[in-house]
Amino acid sequence: MKNAVFIYSPEQLGYKFSDSHPFNHTRLLLTMDLLKNIGALSDDDIIPVRVATDEEIALGHDLKYIDTVKKAGHGLLTPQQCEMYGIGTEDTPIFTNMHEASALLVGSTLQAVDYVMQGKSRHALNLGGGLHHGFHGRASGFCIYNDSTVAIRYIQEKYNARVLYIDTDAHHGDGVQWAFYDDPDVCTLSIHETGRYLFPGTGNVTERGNGQGYGTSFNFPIDAFTEDESFLMIYEQAVREVFDYFKPDVVITQNGADAHYFDPLTHLYGTMKIYQEIPKLAHKLAHEYCDGKWIAVGGGGYDIWRVVPRAWSFIWTEMKDLPCPSGPLPAQWLEKWQPQSPVPFIPTWEDPTPLYEPIPRKAEIEEKNAQMLMKALHIIRNQAK
């Protein structure tokens, strides 16, 4: 059995709205090249993607919606016909072959699932996935098909396993949460910037599941300008308690890299410290509770030059049991990519200290986050009784 596999094919770059759209999968190339430059990723680690079938996509999406995506990507529908499906908006514009590109990203995550669930690898990483805003019959927030939703239903049907889904993207993992809101065998945990300031506006502590699924949805909305210490305090306590409460068979982590101070679409003040720590705990608890079964996908991350390659590299080195990279970034990598970047690179794995001016409201923000955490943990503990 392999320790970890890296799911990738160049065709993943075909999921592209436009040259100016913030969702840019050039970050996959940047991350891969960085990992290869430090000797952490070899061709033997890379598993090619596959395309999800319509039947597989329909595990998470309406057939009429799938047909609409196909037609829209071939110019067969008017903007008015697409509007009700969330396609052709400023966030999720139409692009040629959008169904084909989206089906490939879903298939990439299913490939990761099969490698882990069939015992071919303990862990699998698909950075091209993590499109957590897609709904049953509607696109949303850069996401056409929701690969995590499809993958979880696929795991349930094919492997009959209980799934814990952990989402540390700065945006609430709404599409996945609502898909399993009444399902007692899927637990969703999302740590995100509060919806008072940020899309999609959901993810309150009070969103706890419905019917038989009541008590399997957990949200930890953190305040704008939250820094590393507060983020990690919430992450470590929340994830440990939910693992112990739910006792999953397999864990899927969505690893959006947009909680960083440099991210242009969010208001959190994270640094590389959180991205070093997030995969460590997920890895440890996957072995304690799931016999190591850990599937990781990408997600948000809109500073594709200074943030995403470093943040996502930490997931892979953790999966491979390699030392956490530190010190200077490879000169060859910096020289190759800096001419294409609109911003100067951070030349080290760590962020400079200080990265930003001190926040006057630091104590107030940390207190609000602590109160939110205690309220959420109180809910978990009461349900565990």
Side-chain angles (χ1 to χ4, degrees), residues 89-385:
T89 64
E90 183 178 358
D91 276 357
T92 314
I94 296 168
F95 64 93
T96 302
N97 294 325
M98 63 193 300
H99 165 78
E100 291 78 4
S102 302
L104 188 138
L105 296 189
V106 174
S108 304
T109 300
L110 298 184
Q111 185 83 296
V113 166
D114 281 335
Y115 263 78
V116 169
M117 300 306 292
Q118 292 176 12
K120 298 177 184 177
S121 179
R122 290 183 179 85
H123 320 308
L125 177 60
N126 174 37
L127 293 173
L131 306 183
H132 60 170
H133 295 307
F135 289 95
H136 184 67
R138 179 168 57 88
S140 177
F142 314 159
C143 306
I144 298 168
Y145 296 144
N146 192 323
D147 59 291
S148 293
T149 292
V150 173
I152 293 169
R153 292 216 193 278
Y154 182 82
I155 289 171
Q156 290 182 296
E157 292 203 0
K158 189 171 182 179
Y159 301 105
N160 192 31
R162 284 164 59 85
V163 183
L164 171 58
Y165 170 83
I166 300 173
D167 191 318
T168 50
D169 195 290
H171 300 86
H172 176 230
D174 57 342
V176 183
Q177 173 181 288
W178 300 126
F180 300 101
Y181 206 58
D182 59 356
D183 190 329
D185 294 318
V186 177
C187 182
T188 61
L189 186 163
S190 181
I191 301 172
H192 49 271
E193 182 181 336
T194 172
R196 294 197 305 273
Y197 312 114
L198 192 69
F199 174 90
T202 54
N204 295 313
V205 172
T206 53
E207 294 167 21
R208 298 164 59 181
N210 188 50
Q212 289 188 321
Y214 184 78
T216 58
S217 174
F218 298 102
N219 288 289
F220 299 84
I222 56 179
D223 212 29
F225 313 115
T226 292
E227 299 177 81
D228 292 342
E229 295 82 3
S230 185
F231 186 106
L232 288 174
M233 181 266 293
I234 292 165
Y235 174 75
E236 289 168 3
Q237 291 194 47
V239 169
R240 284 184 183 277
E241 295 225 16
V242 171
F243 256 101
D244 191 58
Y245 163 73
F246 186 70
K247 295 179 175 58
D249 299 315
V250 57
V251 60
I252 297 177
T253 62
Q254 196 270 17
N255 296 269
D258 49 1
H260 193 278
Y261 171 72
F262 284 150
D263 197 274
L265 301 188
T266 68
H267 315 99
L268 300 179
Y269 272 42
T271 74
M272 279 300 132
K273 290 179 183 177
I274 65 172
Y275 297 111
Q276 292 172 332
E277 296 302 322
I278 286 171
K280 289 180 184 178
L281 185 60
H283 190 191
K284 181 177 187 295
L285 295 178
H287 279 286
E288 287 184 16
Y289 289 87
C290 310
D291 195 29
K293 294 183 178 66
W294 174 26
I295 298 149
V297 293
Y302 307 101
D303 189 320
I304 70 167
W305 308 98
R306 296 176 294 183
V307 175
V308 179
R310 292 185 296 157
W312 280 357
S313 291
F314 293 135
I315 308 167
W316 178 248
T317 56
E318 178 63 30
M319 279 189 168
K320 290 282 287 183
D321 292 320
L322 298 172
C324 187
S326 63
L329 294 176
Q332 184 177 352
W333 185 83
L334 291 168
E335 291 167 3
K336 177 180 179 180
W337 294 105
Q338 181 62 81
Q340 300 181 43
S341 172
V343 292
F345 276 124
I346 301 296
T348 56
W349 286 98
E350 299 82 8
D351 285 324
T353 304
L355 185 60
Y356 47 81
E357 294 295 321
I359 301 173
R361 293 179 54 241
K362 179 180 176 68
E364 177 189 343
I365 291 166
E366 290 181 345
E367 178 60 25
K368 287 176 67 177
N369 285 342
Q371 290 176 4
M372 176 277 298
L373 175 64
M374 291 310 298
K375 181 179 179 180
L377 292 180
H378 179 71
I379 293 170
I380 298 171
R381 291 163 185 166
N382 279 347
Q383 288 170 177
K385 291 179 180 178

